């Protein structure tokens, strides 16, 4: 059974999808079976990060709707596998699908959309643990604190923090926290 990890942030542009891609690639390179699920319905980005956008025929929405099997929706992304989000919602992502997929992987990463949308809640409901991503500015730190609180309310207790784009000089000058 896979370890299921949601990667979330309160704000967009903090490097959440890049962290998802990097962790997935590193674990895959270490011999682990890894699946990334892009949960950002309508604004997916992992297919662009991995250069697989032209290869997308099916997404996890098609799997839920019965339009394809999970292996048809999973794309090879240079080691890890990727299942993209639908461009529009036709049904809800289910924990049952995550549990079914879990049997074939060591790790599943849910790349949640920024903020506290339905996609965020769907990703958290399917995960065992979470990682919140922030930069060191006050706006992002406050929003990631709210995001972590929302994750706890959704039942996640093991939540880790990644501070991205840390700039020691800016911190010393009191421009960043």
């Amino acid at each position: 059974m896979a370890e299921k990890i949601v990667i979330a942030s309160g704000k967009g542009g903090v490097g959440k999808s890049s962290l998802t891609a990097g962790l997935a690639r590193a674990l895959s390179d270490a011999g682990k079976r890894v699946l990334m699920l892009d949960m950002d319905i309508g604004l997916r980005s992992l297919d662009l990060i991995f250069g697989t956008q032209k290869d997308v025929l099916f997404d996890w929405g098609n799997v839920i709707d019965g339009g394809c099997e999970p292996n048809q929706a999973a794309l090879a992304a240079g080691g890890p596998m990727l299942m993209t989000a639908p461009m529009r919602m036709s049904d809800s992502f289910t924990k049952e699908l995550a549990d079914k997929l879990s049997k074939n992987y060591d790790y599943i990463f849910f790349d949640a959309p920024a903020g506290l949308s339905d996609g965020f809640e769907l990703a958290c409901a399917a995960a065992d643990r979470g990682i919140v991503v922030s930069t060191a500015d006050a706006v992002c730190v406050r929003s990631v604190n709210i995001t972590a609180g929302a994750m706890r309310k959704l039942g996640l207790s093991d939540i880790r923090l990644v501070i991205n784009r840390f700039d020691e000089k800016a911190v010393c000058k009191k421009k960043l926290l």
Side-chain angles (χ1 to χ4, degrees), residues 7 34 44 55 57 67 71 74 87 105 141 147 151 163 171:
I7 300 181
V34 181
R44 66 186 189 214
D55 300 326
L57 297 176
N71 64 331
M87 291 308 286
Y105 296 95
V141 170
T147 302
M151 292 170 93
I163 301 289
V171 170

Side-chain angles (χ1 to χ4, degrees), residues 3 8 10 12-13 73 77 79 87 95 100 105 107 109-110 114 132 147 155 163 172 176-177:
E3 186 169 342
M87 291 308 286
K95 185 176 181 334
K100 179 179 177 182
Y105 296 95
Y107 291 90
F109 290 103
F110 302 95
V132 289
T147 302
I163 301 289
C172 290
L176 293 175
L177 300 177

Side-chain angles (χ1 to χ4, degrees), residues 97-151:
L97 177 59
D99 290 342
K100 179 179 177 182
L101 295 169
S102 180
K103 296 172 187 167
N104 298 315
Y105 296 95
D106 298 310
Y107 291 90
I108 297 177
F109 290 103
F110 302 95
D111 185 27
L116 305 178
S117 66
D118 290 342
F120 164 79
E121 291 186 13
L122 293 171
C124 288
D128 302 319
R129 60 180 14 193
I131 298 173
V132 289
V133 183
S134 182
T135 58
D137 65 273
V139 172
C140 286
V141 170
R142 178 171 58 190
S143 66
V144 86
N145 183 44
I146 293 167
T147 302
M151 292 170 93

Side-chain angles (χ1 to χ4, degrees), residues 62-115:
N62 299 122
V63 176
I64 291 170
D65 292 343
C68 71
E69 293 297 317
N71 64 331
Q72 293 175 291
L75 300 170
M81 300 299 287
L82 167 63
M83 197 175 293
T84 62
M87 291 308 286
R88 58 189 160 285
M89 196 58 188
S90 61
D91 202 339
S92 294
F93 185 82
T94 63
K95 185 176 181 334
E96 291 78 24
L97 177 59
D99 290 342
K100 179 179 177 182
L101 295 169
S102 180
K103 296 172 187 167
N104 298 315
Y105 296 95
D106 298 310
Y107 291 90
I108 297 177
F109 290 103
F110 302 95
D111 185 27

